[in-house]
Amino acid sequence: MGLYARKTGPDPMNAVPDMDTLLRIMEINTGSSDEFVRSLPFSAEDGTAGVENEFQAAVLGKKEDLDLARTIEDSNYYKNMVRRVESGDTSRKKIEALNKYLNQDRDNIWENSWVRFPRRALNSFSNLVFKADLKSDKTRPDYGTRTDADHFTLMKGGEEFVRIPVSYLLKLALADVVGSEESLYSFLRIAGEKMMAHFLNDNTSPEIFSFYPAAANGSGSLGKNIARETLIRFLLTQVLVQYAQKKFLLKDHGQEVRVFFSSSPPLRQKELNDCISDSFYRDLFMSPCLSGWTRGQEKHRYMKLCHKVLSRSHINGISKLKEAGIITSNLVVLPNTSNMSLANNGTHISLGSKKLGRLLADPGSGFTPFHEKYLGDLAIKIIEHFLCLFPGAYSASPLRLNFEDFHPEKALGFLPHEIDYTHLRMIWRRWKKKADIRVLGSPVTPFGPAWLDRIISRVFLLRGDFIPDARLIDYFVSVMSTDQSPSLDGRPGNGDQLKKDLAQMGVFDEDMPLYQLVRLREFSKMGYTGFEYRYYSMFESILSDMGGAADLQNLVTALSFQYILSGKVNPHMIPDTPDVESERRQVFFCSALNIPTFYVKTRTRNVFFLSILSRIPKTRQSRRYPGYTRVRVRDYQQALIETIKADGRDLIRVMGLEDTLSGLEARLFSSSASACGRLVGGIMETSRKKDPMKLRGEVFNQRAEAYFIDGLRKKQTAEAFSVLQEECEKMDHGAGSGDPALRAALDLILKGRDLSAFLESIRQPCLNDTLDLEDIRKLIFLMILYTDRQARHPE
């Protein structure tokens, strides 16, 4: 079949079967259109979903009580800097900036600080967990403790204190709860211990992944079910924080913990990063990896490697900007040698296919990892054309940039490594045109000295710009292929070869996983087969935004397999070259920046791209770029919707996603319906000015951080508590309908109290962070019980 025809010779691609064979081994039913779409991977009830949420953590309190401030002031780095300043060997500016960070009026908020509390506050089980997690190899207790074990305890006033990051505090709090009630059913303790493994850490922040994979299973959309699982997990996180503050005596020692959704690196952490070395930054903020890995100290060194590599990569981007003609002189503002992109926090939603997983688990099925890789790469290339539908509409990371922030070497983030020079120049020119940085009709970028740029900004009333999803620019979301090593050509091992190429260019490291917008999850490595979608920032509502995004994501994934298995899209239609890859990805970055237009080669070799563009009634040839067609992003998004409706008509019907498509149009073309618009509405709610461009960048961004830590966190906690009440009502009904084991467990937890009455009585104290310790324990055990039942009986 032409679909899989490749060049002749000893090419492994020749082993790919023809279409008839592929349809047979994948159990695709071609009897009717309805049977065909129902038998597709990821269609109807085939899909499963799991989520990794990266949270921001902050500790509130006075400087003298906070670990971060104490650690800085007690460090040799700080003391040596003071001595060098006193001896005149270095400028006072660095130490003044550091002291300003330590002593400024900051609402007593210290992002990503660790916590300290008396070790006696731990019960016997949580203390045992802590000791076990300090082992250098948790599978070999005889290996002894980590060499850095002394970093996690200290003596204060003659008493031993525990010193840990907030990400590990959550796990230790859960351990303390499940070890606190010996009279409870043993299965609840076992279930709680299993859940502990899901409380991990990202490079800097807490990371918590799904307790169980969600599935539609006739009980609602896949998106709705994974959103509800996420909300219960978020609520458990908030309640564990309340538990830790009381049981571990954090409040008594001047510390209040907050865990919340926030995508961009904190402003004050940026200030700190600007006045310390990259090595000291890593010591302060790279996670020690106490939980989730057998050899945590090795993982900690890997975290430091990631920071080194991305910091180097960001600086190397300057040479690409010069080669692209964006930087035309030697006057640049050098990015900090310590890059903060790893302090970005996003959400990764993974989809799995039960059918493909079953086929890969069966050696006699004929479906092999080779087919998985080949089809997976082609599906990703198709899916990438639809990704511009998501930024701003479903998730966002709103940010204001001032005029003085418009240095290309800083503003363009990692884009020089993600798209080619042609599209990089186009995006920079159109971004400058869109932003409020024009003097006498022409865009002007900052000159360098901050004081001069601020004067120019005031004199000419230059306001800068507003970005709907800044995280997608500031974080390395996807590497670009090289000419010799395409990342999505379907060949096993293509990613490893690409990493070698990028490592030689100083862009990446071979030990790091390949950064991609959509990443294939291979059965042999993950235990399931599917895709990880890595482009989500913040959701204003978990139910509507995240749930809707997951449903649309699932639909587009199923549609990509429909295109492949119907023969409508083949590998030759989307060539595996860097320029074609960059051409389709540029639209995604344009949507993140809210740039209104993009340019595509009039005779692009991407036939699938052309088929979508053909649905746009009005485009025009570019006068600036001969051979290119100018396309409005909004028109392209509308064409994508029409493509989904036309080509995916049967899929939409069998998956019950009609409302998802109508909701998508509202999100894209009405700011009040989009996730970004609603986030901005919450940020600006207390301001008389409702337009972010009416505020200075630092003012808007500070208000955003304050809203995320308080207003949005409480809103999402309330959303989660409502879901818990609904789920517990179902659970209570099940207990009263002939499930004696469930009834006994509920009676044991609640000690005879009515479940609905109990939840209603604690709702407001939970939202106000004022629950008493006994009610906290009951609530946590209820969530453990619910989670255990969902994991074993998702229906």
Side-chain angles (χ1 to χ4, degrees), residues 1 179 297 335 343 369 386 491 526 617 708:
M1 297 290 290
Q297 200 166 6
F386 295 87
R491 298 167 186 261
M526 305 301 298
F708 299 155

Side-chain angles (χ1 to χ4, degrees), residues 718-739:
E719 183 180 28
F721 202 96
S722 295
V723 167
L724 178 67
Q725 287 180 296
E726 293 171 8
E727 296 298 325
C728 282
E729 184 177 341
K730 297 176 189 175
M731 192 163 63
D732 198 27
H733 178 73
S737 302
D739 192 338

Side-chain angles (χ1 to χ4, degrees), residues 623-745:
R623 292 183 291 271
R624 180 179 295 273
Y625 304 111
Y628 282 84
T629 299
R630 179 182 180 271
V631 183
R632 293 201 313 165
V633 172
R634 176 170 290 194
D635 291 341
Y636 179 74
Q637 291 171 330
Q638 185 64 57
L640 287 175
I641 294 173
E642 292 173 7
T643 299
I644 295 172
K645 286 181 177 179
D647 297 346
R649 179 178 60 254
D650 294 329
L651 276 171
I652 294 169
R653 175 177 49 80
V654 301
M655 298 173 76
L657 297 180
E658 291 84 358
D659 291 343
T660 298
L661 268 294
S662 59
L664 172 60
E665 293 188 79
R667 288 172 180 275
L668 289 173
F669 307 128
S670 171
S671 61
S672 61
S674 70
C676 181
R678 285 180 279 115
L679 282 171
V680 170
I683 294 166
M684 305 292 287
E685 186 175 12
T686 59
S687 173
R688 287 181 297 176
K689 300 175 181 177
K690 302 305 179 182
D691 181 1
M693 292 297 291
K694 300 289 186 180
L695 300 177
R696 284 279 298 172
E698 58 273 15
V699 175
F700 174 84
N701 297 332
Q702 287 168 2
R703 290 188 180 183
E705 290 185 357
Y707 175 64
F708 299 155
I709 199 174
D710 189 33
L712 183 63
R713 179 181 64 88
K714 289 184 176 180
K715 180 180 184 297
Q716 291 172 333
T717 303
E719 183 180 28
F721 202 96
S722 295
V723 167
L724 178 67
Q725 287 180 296
E726 293 171 8
E727 296 298 325
C728 282
E729 184 177 341
K730 297 176 189 175
M731 192 163 63
D732 198 27
H733 178 73
S737 302
D739 192 338
L742 176 57
R743 172 51 60 198

Side-chain angles (χ1 to χ4, degrees), residues 175-447:
D176 203 79
V177 172
V178 300
S180 65
E181 296 282 352
E182 294 184 357
S183 61
L184 281 174
Y185 279 156
S186 60
F187 84 85
L188 282 179
R189 176 163 177 165
I190 293 170
E193 289 183 37
K194 290 179 181 178
M195 292 164 65
M196 285 161 46
H198 294 250
F199 288 83
L200 302 177
N201 54 269
D202 190 42
N203 293 275
T204 300
S205 307
E207 179 179 85
I208 308 169
F209 66 96
S210 293
F211 293 136
Y212 56 86
N217 290 335
S219 59
S221 73
L222 181 62
K224 173 186 175 183
N225 289 342
I226 195 58
R228 294 174 84 84
E229 187 278 337
T230 299
L231 282 167
I232 299 294
R233 200 160 22 90
F234 178 71
L235 180 61
L236 177 60
T237 301
Q238 300 304 309
V239 179
L240 287 173
V241 167
Q242 294 188 45
Y243 180 87
Q245 291 187 161
K246 289 182 168 62
K247 178 62 166 55
F248 296 163
L249 309 176
L250 292 178
K251 278 194 172 183
D252 293 349
H253 290 83
Q255 303 160 93
E256 288 190 48
V257 175
R258 298 288 185 268
V259 177
F260 53 100
F261 285 102
S262 180
S263 291
S264 296
L267 297 175
R268 283 177 286 246
Q269 195 169 319
K270 287 182 179 180
E271 294 174 9
L272 175 61
N273 187 52
D274 287 339
C275 56
I276 61 176
S277 70
D278 58 337
S279 180
F280 190 46
Y281 177 89
R282 288 191 286 273
D283 287 342
L284 291 175
F285 295 113
M286 292 296 100
S287 172
C289 306
L290 290 171
S291 176
W293 291 273
T294 300
R295 292 181 290 275
Q297 200 166 6
E298 289 184 13
K299 185 67 175 179
H300 178 47
R301 285 192 285 269
Y302 167 79
M303 296 293 190
K304 289 189 171 184
L305 169 70
C306 290
H307 184 258
K308 288 180 183 178
V309 171
L310 294 185
S311 297
R312 178 194 65 193
S313 181
H314 194 207
I315 293 174
N316 286 346
I318 294 177
S319 63
K320 287 194 171 184
L321 291 173
K322 291 191 71 174
E323 291 172 16
I326 291 174
I327 294 177
T328 56
S329 72
N330 290 326
L331 296 175
V332 298
V333 176
L334 189 66
N336 199 305
T337 54
S338 175
N339 184 262
M340 285 196 63
S341 65
L342 293 177
N344 283 290
N345 300 304
T347 291
H348 301 164
I349 301 179
S350 296
L351 293 182
S353 166
K354 289 183 282 188
K355 168 188 272 193
L356 296 184
R358 173 174 55 80
L359 294 175
L360 287 164
D362 179 9
S365 70
F367 191 78
T368 69
F370 180 79
H371 303 117
E372 176 191 34
K373 173 65 174 170
Y374 191 88
L375 295 174
D377 279 3
L378 180 54
I380 290 172
K381 290 194 291 185
I382 295 170
I383 292 166
E384 285 187 354
H385 292 81
F386 295 87
L387 296 189
C388 66
L389 297 173
F390 293 89
Y394 288 99
S395 77
S397 181
L399 186 75
R400 266 284 282 119
L401 293 178
N402 292 323
F403 166 74
E404 56 266 30
D405 298 319
F406 261 84
H407 296 280
E409 57 271 26
K410 287 191 172 184
L412 287 172
F414 286 92
L415 282 179
H417 302 313
E418 297 174 303
I419 55 178
D420 69 16
Y421 292 160
T422 298
H423 300 123
L424 188 63
R425 286 190 295 266
M426 290 175 173
I427 282 180
W428 181 238
R429 185 188 68 81
R430 283 171 287 137
W431 191 5
K432 289 190 296 180
K433 182 178 180 181
K434 168 216 172 190
D436 187 357
I437 56 172
R438 302 174 76 86
V439 176
L440 301 178
S442 298
V444 176
T445 53
F447 294 90

Side-chain angles (χ1 to χ4, degrees), residues 81-97:
M81 183 183 290
V82 171
R83 292 193 185 98
R84 289 198 302 271
V85 169
E86 290 175 348
S87 65
D89 291 336
T90 190
S91 169
R92 287 188 172 274
K93 289 183 178 180
K94 286 271 186 179
I95 193 66
E96 287 174 353

Side-chain angles (χ1 to χ4, degrees), residues 427-698:
I427 282 180
W428 181 238
R429 185 188 68 81
R430 283 171 287 137
W431 191 5
K432 289 190 296 180
K433 182 178 180 181
K434 168 216 172 190
D436 187 357
I437 56 172
R438 302 174 76 86
V439 176
L440 301 178
S442 298
V444 176
T445 53
F447 294 90
W451 61 269
L452 176 61
D453 293 333
R454 283 192 288 268
I455 291 174
I456 293 172
S457 175
R458 286 195 295 268
V459 170
F460 292 99
L461 303 177
L462 306 180
R463 298 183 298 173
D465 196 21
F466 170 77
I467 305 175
D469 206 334
R471 172 184 168 271
L472 298 177
I473 307 303
D474 192 41
Y475 186 67
F476 204 163
V477 293
S478 189
V479 299
M480 187 170 67
S481 296
T482 62
D483 290 307
Q484 297 302 313
S485 302
S487 63
L488 296 171
D489 66 352
R491 298 167 186 261
N494 55 8
D496 294 334
Q497 186 57 52
L498 175 58
K499 286 193 289 184
K500 289 180 182 179
D501 288 4
L502 297 176
Q504 293 172 358
M505 297 163 60
V507 173
F508 213 65
D509 190 278
E510 292 183 52
D511 290 334
M512 296 168 62
L514 201 64
Y515 289 2
Q516 293 177 303
L517 291 165
V518 183
R519 189 156 65 187
L520 180 65
R521 309 309 270 167
E522 296 172 81
F523 185 81
S524 61
K525 298 176 182 177
M526 305 301 298
Y528 74 94
T529 182
F531 303 94
E532 181 186 37
Y533 299 79
R534 302 167 52 84
Y535 45 79
Y536 296 113
S537 297
M538 289 178 62
F539 303 104
E540 195 270 343
S541 164
I542 304 299
L543 274 178
S544 65
D545 292 333
M546 180 178 155
D551 278 335
L552 179 61
Q553 173 184 296
N554 193 28
L555 173 60
V556 170
T557 305
L559 181 60
S560 71
F561 276 84
Q562 176 182 310
Y563 282 133
I564 297 169
L565 297 174
S566 65
K568 291 182 178 179
V569 178
N570 64 60
H572 304 296
M573 294 174 67
I574 312 173
D576 296 300
T577 59
D579 62 314
V580 171
E581 180 181 85
S582 175
E583 186 175 55
R584 66 175 182 264
R585 290 180 182 172
Q586 62 161 330
V587 196
F588 171 79
F589 292 115
C590 286
S591 65
L593 291 166
N594 196 28
I595 293 174
T597 57
F598 66 94
Y599 296 86
V600 60
K601 282 185 178 179
T602 304
R603 295 184 178 181
T604 178
R605 292 176 295 152
N606 187 340
V607 179
F608 183 67
F609 203 2
L610 281 176
S611 70
I612 299 170
L613 294 171
S614 67
R615 295 181 181 273
I616 300 176
K618 186 177 181 180
T619 60
R620 70 169 175 82
Q621 294 298 304
S622 171
R623 292 183 291 271
R624 180 179 295 273
Y625 304 111
Y628 282 84
T629 299
R630 179 182 180 271
V631 183
R632 293 201 313 165
V633 172
R634 176 170 290 194
D635 291 341
Y636 179 74
Q637 291 171 330
Q638 185 64 57
L640 287 175
I641 294 173
E642 292 173 7
T643 299
I644 295 172
K645 286 181 177 179
D647 297 346
R649 179 178 60 254
D650 294 329
L651 276 171
I652 294 169
R653 175 177 49 80
V654 301
M655 298 173 76
L657 297 180
E658 291 84 358
D659 291 343
T660 298
L661 268 294
S662 59
L664 172 60
E665 293 188 79
R667 288 172 180 275
L668 289 173
F669 307 128
S670 171
S671 61
S672 61
S674 70
C676 181
R678 285 180 279 115
L679 282 171
V680 170
I683 294 166
M684 305 292 287
E685 186 175 12
T686 59
S687 173
R688 287 181 297 176
K689 300 175 181 177
K690 302 305 179 182
D691 181 1
M693 292 297 291
K694 300 289 186 180
L695 300 177
R696 284 279 298 172
E698 58 273 15

